[in-house]
Amino acid sequence: MFWASRKRLVIFLIALIMLVMEKPVKTWGAVNSDAGTHVFVNQAGYLPEALKRVVADKPAKRFMVIEAATGKAVFTGKLIPVKDPTSQKKIWTGDFTEFSKPGSYQIQIQNVGFSYPFSIEPTIYSHLLNLAARSFYLQRCGIDLNDRETGLAHPKCHQNDGVIARKDPYYDAGQQINCTGGWHDAGDYGKYTPTTAVAAAYLMVAYELWPEKFNDGQLRIPESGNGIPDILDEARVGLEWLLSMQRPDGAVYHKLAGSRWPGFISPDDEYQTRYIYGISTAGTGKFAAVMAIAARVWETIDPKFAARAYQAALKAWRFLQEHDEFIWDHDSFDDDGSGAYGQTTDLPDRLWAALELSTLNRTEQPIADLVKQVESHPITTISWVDAFALGCFNYARSANCLPQIKAIVVKKLIDSAEKNLAAAKASGYRYTLDYSEFAWASNKEGLSRGIAMLLAAEFDPKPEYRENALAQLDFVLGLNPLSKCFVAGIGSDPPLNMHHRLVIASGKIIPGLLAGGPNNKSESEVEPFGKGPYSYVDGSRSYSSNETAIDYNAALFFAAAAFATAVNQTSNQQ
């Protein structure tokens, strides 16, 4: 009897040991309900053959990759302590790049906790690309929106856009001009030349670089089925609105919005008069540049539209040639109900326009007369303020580029990439912003610095450029000190309360929207002031950290496109 009982005890102990050995992760004592609290990952996931990193904010020596469904350990790695300039804290970083098996996983760290679940899949960024691109459709102005996928719906809005705000040589104050269409810019319903131009440019250049990643029907928009890649149909929405904003002499109006901020209402419920505000030479330069891109892209797709865009670009350029002074017809009252998007110079816009126009003609190149300005103008990340870098890139890859100017602009692009690479390598998160640099639209700025490295990689295929460009996406998608994914509809902890009128009015999210991100200045006085990457709140009152804008989403789209797979490999991922 004694031996029988002892035998049963031994069998039980052996079975228990085998169970524990099969799932060793369960012996570490972490609580899965605390996932993401102290262990940070890219919540969207990782590409099989790409860099894969994890960060913990508590000390530990090792981490484990476990199967999300079973808890079975499939990889073990070391954690290295790092003094991190991004968070100004000590963190522990791990690398599991060599593990590449597709599937769903978590990270577990003994006595620290679990990460949020994540996937390893080749189509991670194809899905993100489609969501980011589709967000433009969901923010179109003037359409009868009834989207089955998101449930977002509203009748046609802003059918009377717009009315001239101030008399000019061509129109009287109060005169109505048809400027319907385009995209609502951000959390409000204004429409702006600067951001529309840069956003449309990003959509078109992504198509130029990676046409295999786009097709007709991909985004499931009203134009799907017309034989033109959906991304170009979407870009044309912005372009057609821009064309309506051009004055007969070639100058371009700055923005269209109401004289007061709308309430948190559906766009079809906004009935105030919406004004077309004065011209600017900066906006006219941006317009000329993006229309030159359109002329290039549509040349073989729709020659008539390409010719129309080219003539509009030339008309804008002629206006700039006839007016070499900076012009912004602006009054402080113009900004009582919309963003200012103001500038004090138009030089980057003139240079961008000259570079893009010069890609279209080998013999007549406007940029040839501006070589000294090209040499002296500093290159920055691409933004609505300064898209000179995009012009440099497009010119350098053009068959029409002049060798002397190509050498100048390629060096500028590579110097910019090296600067951003150095910043990324200094960070424990591989992020290009340090603690003090988190400001308005910090997420867009980080992605734009990654894009700077992607552009340079087209001329110098240095693996570190793409690797660290990808790291900027990692940060925005959850590998950050807040363990927050800043893209709506992605990951375990996405923004749920964005400062966005349609989102608030409808009670629905717009998948793919990028939140502005941590902001030290906390202009809305909602997020913590001066806390670097911690200066963020997922709250609808935080317009300075939790609002989106079309130029933010254009940067997200472009960065995702760089790492997406060809559409025939993704089966139009939703």
Side-chain angles (χ1 to χ4, degrees), residues 125-138:
Y125 292 105
S126 299
H127 177 58
L128 179 60
L129 176 157
N130 286 355
L131 290 185
R134 238 181 149 259
S135 72
F136 285 87
Y137 161 59
L138 298 174

Side-chain angles (χ1 to χ4, degrees), residues 222 231 289 294 309 325 428 477:
I231 198 62
E325 74 279 18
L477 295 170

Side-chain angles (χ1 to χ4, degrees), residues 48-59:
E49 305 306 323
L51 180 73
K52 303 177 194 71
R53 300 179 69 251
V54 57
V55 169
D57 65 359
K58 285 188 173 182

